[in-house]
Amino acid sequence: MGFREHAARVRRILGIVLAVLLLGGVAAVLVTGGDKDTGTATKTVRGVIGSEKAEFFTDPQVVKALAAKGFTVGTETSGSWDMEELPLDGYDFAFPSSKAPADELRAKAAKKAKATTAPLRPFYSPLVVVAHSAAARVLAGNGLATLGPRGTSGTLRMDAYLAAARADRTWQQLKGSAGHAELSGTLFITSTDPVASNSGALYLAAASYVADGGRVAGDKAAVTRTAPILRKLVQVQGAQQSSSDAPFRDFISGVGNPLVLVYESQVAAQLLAGRPMGDLVVLYPDTTVNSDHTLVPLTENGRALGELLATDPELRKLAVRHGFRPQGAASEFTTATQSHTAYLNQTLTGVRQAPVPTSRVLHEMALRARDQGDAA
């Protein structure tokens, strides 16, 4: 064999060896995550979550903290009530935005013998209304809201707002609206589809409670009493989104309705990230509902993840950074948001929590508001 043939053969052999080593190296990176500091993830879990938690689970620091505890988490987003229609096979957990859809998911999981333990509630967030500055001032000037000294936060008077909704009040009928071209047409709050989305359903729960004299709806008769006003609140909006993420992003970008129902966590995350707030004003309804983000375990790994989110100090700290209030630890939220009290009502002073109806009644309420339920 000549020198050239021999050299070529050696190069081929070396090429094969290097390729094998390279593939082995790539495999090692895939298994270890390519970062010795994050630890080796030993449990891969998959879940369906509300869109308001998507940024939390994709945050590199959250991914790193979970990996350090032995978890790799893959998620898909869905409206909280829409989750009930999804097949549970292949999921380790479902993570809607409140207890009512979680109860339905747990019942469905129990029928398939998939539920492993009670749901867990790692964190929560009250519902708020974000308004542009001009809209907030007009509301305050007409007795529908009160504003704090800086004008960047305040309270929405739910009884006065519902009275305006019943009367089909327009922005043009409110004093102080002249000269604000963006304030035109019927006065309403943009919310999500109550049949598909948790925030939209909870909005109806709070409105129903106020409209029915401080009574929580417990049966069809109660739903019937408040159905007309709930129908007004929903149908004036036209098409609705199935998740709160899109309406909030539209509001921040300066498009859409001047009043939008969102989670406080979305506002707090914006503040804590140092993003521009523009002319945003936060109005806390004087009667609102807390959204208890509730994880439904479908496997043992799903349960372990839920317990970790509820108890691990680093993950709780990261949840606060994304605007959530950890359960049972108000000081964690108030400490982190101390420099943002111009926007946030840290202690929810002056805010009454409306009880939430059962999932069955809440679902009927949503259907009636959309004119899809039993008219009896």
Side-chain angles (χ1 to χ4, degrees):
M1 179 183 295
F3 174 76
R4 290 185 179 178
E5 290 83 356
H6 177 73
R9 183 179 181 187
V10 169
R11 283 196 298 271
R12 285 196 298 271
I13 293 172
L14 287 173
I16 292 170
V17 171
L18 286 171
V20 171
L21 290 174
L22 180 60
L23 288 171
V26 170
V29 170
L30 290 174
V31 171
T32 64
D35 188 344
K36 292 181 180 178
D37 292 337
T38 63
T40 301
T42 57
K43 302 181 186 71
T44 298
V45 296
R46 178 171 171 251
V48 57
I49 63 173
S51 64
E52 70 289 330
K53 293 182 282 289
E55 287 192 4
F56 172 76
F57 279 104
T58 57
D59 182 338
Q61 291 193 40
V62 173
V63 173
K64 184 175 181 179
L66 288 168
K69 296 294 183 178
F71 284 89
T72 295
V73 181
T75 60
E76 301 171 19
T77 59
S78 168
S80 292
W81 285 102
D82 276 346
M83 291 182 191
E84 187 183 343
E85 305 303 319
L86 297 174
L88 298 178
D89 297 334
Y91 291 119
D92 295 285
F93 67 96
F95 204 171
S97 302
S98 73
K99 181 178 181 296
D103 287 344
E104 293 297 311
L105 285 162
R106 190 184 184 200
K108 180 179 178 180
K111 291 178 181 178
K112 295 189 174 186
K114 290 181 68 66
T116 60
T117 187
L120 300 108
R121 301 182 183 91
F123 39 73
Y124 68 97
S125 183
L127 289 171
V128 300
V129 174
V130 289
H132 292 300
S133 179
R137 291 196 305 270
V138 170
L139 291 179
N142 288 269
L144 279 76
T146 59
L147 294 179
R150 297 190 186 181
T152 51
S153 67
T155 302
L156 178 71
R157 294 184 54 209
M158 282 292 286
D159 55 351
Y161 170 69
L162 293 181
R166 287 191 188 93
D168 298 317
R169 297 282 295 279
T170 66
W171 283 104
Q172 292 93 324
Q173 292 172 329
L174 302 181
K175 64 182 181 181
S177 62
H180 297 287
E182 73 279 12
L183 301 180
S184 63
T186 304
L187 170 69
F188 69 90
I189 295 170
T190 292
S191 61
T192 53
D193 181 354
V195 175
S197 169
N198 173 69
S199 60
L202 293 184
Y203 174 46
L204 298 186
S208 169
Y209 183 77
V210 174
D212 208 20
R215 290 180 291 184
V216 60
D219 52 28
K220 273 195 172 184
V223 173
T224 298
R225 283 196 300 271
T226 59
I229 181 60
L230 300 187
R231 194 174 296 120
K232 277 183 178 287
L233 298 179
V234 168
Q235 296 188 4
V236 69
Q237 301 182 48
Q240 293 175 287
Q241 301 274 1
S242 62
S243 124
S244 62
D245 186 57
F248 182 65
R249 291 184 184 277
D250 286 346
F251 179 90
I252 291 296
S253 66
V255 299
N257 194 42
L259 301 174
V260 180
L261 184 84
V262 300
Y263 296 108
E264 179 198 55
S265 59
Q266 293 169 290
V267 177
Q270 188 89 354
L271 289 163
L272 291 167
R275 298 171 189 152
M277 303 301 289
D279 69 344
L280 181 148
V281 178
V282 186
L283 299 176
Y284 286 78
D286 57 13
T287 301
T288 190
V289 175
N290 277 344
S291 179
D292 291 315
H293 294 274
T294 305
L295 187 147
V296 180
L298 303 175
T299 65
E300 286 297 328
N301 282 345
R303 176 194 56 77
L305 174 66
E307 292 178 349
L308 188 64
L309 293 173
T311 61
D312 182 75
E314 179 64 17
L315 287 166
R316 287 169 67 90
K317 179 180 176 182
L318 290 168
V320 170
R321 197 179 77 174
H322 284 269
F324 299 109
R325 295 177 181 244
Q327 291 283 5
S331 62
E332 293 180 33
F333 181 83
T334 55
T335 298
T337 60
Q338 194 59 49
S339 61
H340 301 298
T341 54
Y343 289 94
L344 302 176
N345 183 346
Q346 293 180 306
T347 58
L348 300 179
T349 302
V351 176
R352 177 174 56 170
Q353 292 295 321
V356 179
T358 65
S359 57
R360 180 185 59 80
V361 171
L362 192 59
H363 197 57
E364 176 67 16
M365 191 180 290
L367 290 172
R368 293 287 295 276
R370 289 279 304 273
D371 258 346
Q372 296 175 349
D374 186 355

